Amino acid sequence: MRNSIQRARSAAVAVSLAVALASASAGAFATEKADATPEAPAVTPSAETVAAQYCNNIADAAGDARFARQAAALAALERDIEDRLARLEAKRAEYQDWLDRREKFLKTAEEGLIAIYTQMKPDAASAQLSIMDEMTAAAILSKLPPRTASAILNEMDAAKAAQLTNIMAGLADRTTSQRKSG
């Protein structure tokens, strides 16, 4: 390592001596230009200057390339979002169709169920409604014609009939308050 540093110094000294000799000999031969201003020494561009020029020259191209990459990425994301939205809309339509069919079925089943309980004898209907879920039994009773509902409640155990009547009264209060607030 020391040898290479010493060689580099020796080479630098030799170059500077050669430059000094060349300028001295050029001064001896110059007769007419003695009064002229000395010429500026030749400037060699340093590595930093060359790198800066290179960066300045490609800055626009690099910016354009970066913009093109970003635009392509955004376009791909936009296509992905549109695809997801289309699939989501298809699922929403599928669920809406299913919900419509379910509502139609429930309405038909509800009407049919009410018709069945309307045609039943009060003692048979009261026996079935007594063992049924209280909310369901109260909902059925509330949709029956008043004469049929009263005959069924008359055939029930008094405690069960009172419980179903309280539930139906609560349903009526909720329905009334929802109509007033809505």
Side-chain angles (χ1 to χ4, degrees):
M1 179 89 175
R2 287 185 184 179
N3 288 338
S4 62
I5 294 174
Q6 287 176 350
R7 277 189 234 145
R9 284 184 184 165
S10 299
V13 170
V15 169
S16 53
L17 282 176
V19 169
L21 285 175
S23 61
S25 63
F29 295 114
T31 55
E32 295 181 13
K33 294 188 178 180
D35 293 334
T37 58
E39 292 183 28
V43 177
T44 58
S46 68
E48 292 176 6
T49 308
V50 171
Q53 288 175 347
Y54 175 77
C55 290
N56 287 336
N57 290 340
I58 68 160
D60 290 337
D64 292 344
R66 183 175 38 251
F67 177 77
R69 279 193 314 270
Q70 289 173 347
L74 285 175
L77 288 173
E78 187 174 351
R79 284 189 303 273
D80 184 45
I81 289 171
E82 288 172 359
D83 182 49
R84 287 182 181 192
L85 283 174
R87 287 186 293 177
L88 184 62
E89 182 60 29
K91 281 291 185 188
R92 190 203 61 76
E94 180 183 334
Y95 287 135
Q96 184 63 42
D97 181 51
W98 178 83
L99 186 62
D100 291 343
R101 286 185 289 139
R102 182 178 179 274
E103 288 294 323
K104 184 178 176 185
F105 170 76
L106 288 176
K107 189 169 232 156
T108 304
E110 185 177 285
E111 291 169 0
L113 186 64
I114 299 303
I116 290 171
Y117 277 97
T118 303
Q119 299 295 322
M120 289 176 77
K121 292 184 180 179
D123 59 337
S126 70
Q128 286 186 5
L129 289 174
S130 293
I131 59 173
M132 194 180 287
D133 175 56
E134 291 177 351
M135 292 301 286
T136 305
I140 290 171
L141 282 171
S142 68
K143 293 191 179 198
L144 289 173
R147 184 173 291 244
T148 307
S150 65
I152 292 172
L153 286 172
N154 191 34
E155 294 293 326
M156 270 188 203
D157 176 47
K160 184 70 171 182
Q163 202 170 15
L164 291 175
T165 304
N166 283 335
I167 291 172
M168 287 189 311
L171 289 175
D173 288 344
R174 287 185 200 140
T175 305
T176 305
S177 65
Q178 286 175 353
R179 285 185 193 150
K180 287 180 183 177
S181 66

